Short mmCIF file of all heavy atoms in Angstrom, two decimals:
data_model
loop_
_atom_site.label_atom_id
_atom_site.label_comp_id
_atom_site.label_asym_id
_atom_site.label_seq_id
_atom_site.Cartn_x
_atom_site.Cartn_y
_atom_site.Cartn_z
N ASP A 254 -7.54 -0.80 -4.64
CA ASP A 254 -6.39 -1.66 -4.35
C ASP A 254 -5.70 -1.29 -3.04
O ASP A 254 -4.67 -1.84 -2.70
CB ASP A 254 -5.38 -1.61 -5.51
CG ASP A 254 -4.88 -0.19 -5.79
OD1 ASP A 254 -5.23 0.72 -5.01
OD2 ASP A 254 -4.15 -0.01 -6.77
N GLY A 255 -6.29 -0.33 -2.30
CA GLY A 255 -5.74 0.02 -1.00
C GLY A 255 -4.81 1.21 -1.02
O GLY A 255 -4.44 1.71 0.03
N ASP A 256 -4.45 1.64 -2.22
CA ASP A 256 -3.62 2.83 -2.31
C ASP A 256 -4.44 4.08 -1.98
O ASP A 256 -5.66 4.09 -2.08
CB ASP A 256 -3.04 2.98 -3.72
CG ASP A 256 -1.87 2.04 -3.96
OD1 ASP A 256 -1.52 1.28 -3.04
OD2 ASP A 256 -1.31 2.07 -5.07
N ILE A 257 -3.73 5.11 -1.60
CA ILE A 257 -4.38 6.38 -1.31
C ILE A 257 -3.85 7.43 -2.26
O ILE A 257 -2.64 7.55 -2.45
CB ILE A 257 -4.10 6.81 0.15
CG1 ILE A 257 -4.64 5.76 1.12
CG2 ILE A 257 -4.73 8.18 0.44
CD1 ILE A 257 -4.22 5.99 2.56
N HIS A 258 -4.74 8.15 -2.90
CA HIS A 258 -4.34 9.25 -3.78
C HIS A 258 -4.63 10.58 -3.09
O HIS A 258 -5.75 10.80 -2.63
CB HIS A 258 -5.08 9.18 -5.12
CG HIS A 258 -4.61 8.06 -5.99
ND1 HIS A 258 -4.95 7.98 -7.32
CD2 HIS A 258 -3.82 6.99 -5.73
CE1 HIS A 258 -4.38 6.89 -7.84
NE2 HIS A 258 -3.70 6.27 -6.90
N VAL A 259 -3.63 11.42 -3.01
CA VAL A 259 -3.77 12.71 -2.37
C VAL A 259 -3.60 13.81 -3.40
O VAL A 259 -2.63 13.81 -4.15
CB VAL A 259 -2.73 12.90 -1.24
CG1 VAL A 259 -2.91 14.26 -0.57
CG2 VAL A 259 -2.83 11.78 -0.23
N LYS A 260 -4.57 14.71 -3.46
CA LYS A 260 -4.47 15.83 -4.39
C LYS A 260 -3.61 16.92 -3.77
O LYS A 260 -3.84 17.33 -2.63
CB LYS A 260 -5.86 16.39 -4.70
CG LYS A 260 -6.66 15.50 -5.61
CD LYS A 260 -7.98 16.19 -5.94
CE LYS A 260 -9.01 15.17 -6.38
NZ LYS A 260 -10.37 15.68 -6.20
N THR A 261 -2.64 17.35 -4.52
CA THR A 261 -1.79 18.43 -4.04
C THR A 261 -1.50 19.33 -5.21
O THR A 261 -2.22 19.32 -6.21
CB THR A 261 -0.50 17.84 -3.41
OG1 THR A 261 0.28 18.91 -2.90
CG2 THR A 261 0.30 17.04 -4.42
N ILE A 262 -0.47 20.13 -5.10
CA ILE A 262 -0.13 21.01 -6.22
C ILE A 262 1.36 20.87 -6.50
O ILE A 262 2.17 20.85 -5.57
CB ILE A 262 -0.54 22.46 -5.92
CG1 ILE A 262 -0.24 23.37 -7.11
CG2 ILE A 262 0.12 22.98 -4.66
CD1 ILE A 262 -0.90 24.73 -7.02
N CYS A 263 1.71 20.75 -7.78
CA CYS A 263 3.11 20.59 -8.12
C CYS A 263 3.81 21.94 -8.15
O CYS A 263 3.17 22.99 -8.14
CB CYS A 263 3.26 19.88 -9.47
SG CYS A 263 2.80 20.90 -10.89
N GLU A 264 5.12 21.92 -8.20
CA GLU A 264 5.88 23.16 -8.15
C GLU A 264 5.57 24.07 -9.33
O GLU A 264 5.48 25.28 -9.19
CB GLU A 264 7.38 22.85 -8.14
CG GLU A 264 7.90 22.58 -6.74
CD GLU A 264 9.40 22.33 -6.74
OE1 GLU A 264 10.11 23.01 -7.49
OE2 GLU A 264 9.86 21.45 -6.00
N ASP A 265 5.41 23.47 -10.51
CA ASP A 265 5.14 24.26 -11.71
C ASP A 265 3.83 25.04 -11.58
O ASP A 265 3.78 26.24 -11.85
CB ASP A 265 5.07 23.36 -12.94
CG ASP A 265 6.45 22.87 -13.35
OD1 ASP A 265 7.44 23.43 -12.84
OD2 ASP A 265 6.53 21.94 -14.16
N CYS A 266 2.78 24.34 -11.17
CA CYS A 266 1.48 24.99 -11.05
C CYS A 266 1.49 25.99 -9.91
O CYS A 266 0.90 27.07 -10.01
CB CYS A 266 0.38 23.95 -10.81
SG CYS A 266 0.05 22.94 -12.26
N HIS A 267 2.17 25.65 -8.84
CA HIS A 267 2.27 26.56 -7.71
C HIS A 267 2.92 27.86 -8.15
O HIS A 267 2.43 28.95 -7.84
CB HIS A 267 3.09 25.91 -6.59
CG HIS A 267 3.18 26.75 -5.36
ND1 HIS A 267 2.12 26.93 -4.50
CD2 HIS A 267 4.21 27.46 -4.84
CE1 HIS A 267 2.50 27.73 -3.52
NE2 HIS A 267 3.76 28.07 -3.69
N GLU A 268 3.98 27.72 -8.90
CA GLU A 268 4.70 28.89 -9.40
C GLU A 268 3.83 29.71 -10.34
O GLU A 268 3.75 30.93 -10.24
CB GLU A 268 5.96 28.43 -10.14
CG GLU A 268 7.22 29.10 -9.65
CD GLU A 268 8.44 28.54 -10.35
OE1 GLU A 268 8.60 28.86 -11.54
OE2 GLU A 268 9.20 27.79 -9.72
N ALA A 269 3.18 29.01 -11.26
CA ALA A 269 2.33 29.69 -12.25
C ALA A 269 1.21 30.46 -11.56
O ALA A 269 0.91 31.59 -11.93
CB ALA A 269 1.75 28.67 -13.22
N LEU A 270 0.62 29.84 -10.54
CA LEU A 270 -0.48 30.48 -9.84
C LEU A 270 0.00 31.66 -9.01
O LEU A 270 -0.68 32.67 -8.88
CB LEU A 270 -1.21 29.47 -8.95
CG LEU A 270 -2.07 28.46 -9.69
CD1 LEU A 270 -2.56 27.38 -8.73
CD2 LEU A 270 -3.26 29.14 -10.34
N GLU A 271 1.19 31.51 -8.43
CA GLU A 271 1.75 32.60 -7.63
C GLU A 271 2.05 33.80 -8.52
O GLU A 271 1.80 34.93 -8.16
CB GLU A 271 3.06 32.14 -6.96
CG GLU A 271 2.83 31.19 -5.81
CD GLU A 271 3.54 31.67 -4.56
OE1 GLU A 271 4.75 31.96 -4.67
OE2 GLU A 271 2.89 31.75 -3.52
N ARG A 272 2.59 33.50 -9.69
CA ARG A 272 2.96 34.57 -10.61
C ARG A 272 1.72 35.25 -11.18
O ARG A 272 1.71 36.44 -11.40
CB ARG A 272 3.80 33.98 -11.76
CG ARG A 272 5.22 34.55 -11.79
CD ARG A 272 5.98 34.06 -13.00
NE ARG A 272 6.65 32.79 -12.71
CZ ARG A 272 6.68 31.77 -13.55
NH1 ARG A 272 6.06 31.83 -14.71
NH2 ARG A 272 7.32 30.68 -13.23
N ASN A 273 0.72 34.44 -11.45
CA ASN A 273 -0.48 35.00 -12.06
C ASN A 273 -1.74 34.24 -11.62
O ASN A 273 -2.16 33.29 -12.26
CB ASN A 273 -0.35 34.94 -13.59
CG ASN A 273 -1.43 35.77 -14.25
OD1 ASN A 273 -2.36 36.25 -13.60
ND2 ASN A 273 -1.32 35.94 -15.54
N PRO A 274 -2.32 34.68 -10.51
CA PRO A 274 -3.52 33.99 -9.98
C PRO A 274 -4.68 34.05 -10.96
O PRO A 274 -5.57 33.23 -10.90
CB PRO A 274 -3.84 34.77 -8.71
CG PRO A 274 -2.59 35.53 -8.36
CD PRO A 274 -1.88 35.78 -9.67
N GLN A 275 -4.68 35.03 -11.85
CA GLN A 275 -5.77 35.18 -12.83
C GLN A 275 -5.39 34.55 -14.16
O GLN A 275 -5.76 35.04 -15.22
CB GLN A 275 -6.09 36.66 -13.03
CG GLN A 275 -6.23 37.45 -11.76
CD GLN A 275 -7.39 36.96 -10.91
OE1 GLN A 275 -8.44 36.66 -11.44
NE2 GLN A 275 -7.19 36.86 -9.61
N PHE A 276 -4.62 33.49 -14.09
CA PHE A 276 -4.02 32.90 -15.28
C PHE A 276 -5.02 32.68 -16.40
O PHE A 276 -4.81 33.07 -17.54
CB PHE A 276 -3.35 31.59 -14.91
CG PHE A 276 -2.53 31.00 -16.02
CD1 PHE A 276 -1.27 31.52 -16.32
CD2 PHE A 276 -2.99 29.93 -16.77
CE1 PHE A 276 -0.51 30.98 -17.34
CE2 PHE A 276 -2.23 29.40 -17.80
CZ PHE A 276 -0.98 29.92 -18.08
N HIS A 277 -6.15 32.06 -16.09
CA HIS A 277 -7.11 31.70 -17.13
C HIS A 277 -7.78 32.94 -17.74
O HIS A 277 -8.00 33.01 -18.93
CB HIS A 277 -8.17 30.75 -16.56
CG HIS A 277 -7.60 29.42 -16.20
ND1 HIS A 277 -7.11 28.55 -17.15
CD2 HIS A 277 -7.40 28.81 -15.02
CE1 HIS A 277 -6.65 27.47 -16.55
NE2 HIS A 277 -6.81 27.61 -15.26
N GLU A 278 -8.06 33.90 -16.88
CA GLU A 278 -8.67 35.13 -17.39
C GLU A 278 -7.68 35.88 -18.28
O GLU A 278 -8.05 36.42 -19.31
CB GLU A 278 -9.10 36.02 -16.22
CG GLU A 278 -10.36 35.51 -15.56
CD GLU A 278 -10.50 36.03 -14.13
OE1 GLU A 278 -10.56 37.26 -13.98
OE2 GLU A 278 -10.54 35.22 -13.21
N ALA A 279 -6.41 35.86 -17.88
CA ALA A 279 -5.38 36.54 -18.65
C ALA A 279 -5.25 35.90 -20.03
O ALA A 279 -5.09 36.58 -21.03
CB ALA A 279 -4.05 36.50 -17.91
N GLU A 280 -5.35 34.60 -20.06
CA GLU A 280 -5.21 33.87 -21.31
C GLU A 280 -6.35 34.26 -22.25
O GLU A 280 -6.15 34.49 -23.43
CB GLU A 280 -5.25 32.37 -21.02
CG GLU A 280 -4.57 31.53 -22.08
CD GLU A 280 -4.47 30.09 -21.64
OE1 GLU A 280 -5.34 29.62 -20.90
OE2 GLU A 280 -3.51 29.43 -22.03
#
Side-chain angles (χ1 to χ4, degrees):
D254 58 6
D256 282 1
I257 299 171
H258 288 193
V259 181
K260 286 184 202 158
T261 183
I262 183 167
C263 72
E264 275 183 39
D265 287 346
C266 289
H267 183 73
E268 233 176 72
L270 287 171
E271 286 233 309
R272 243 185 272 138
N273 192 352
Q275 313 297 319
F276 188 77
H277 292 294
E278 284 159 60
E280 204 172 31

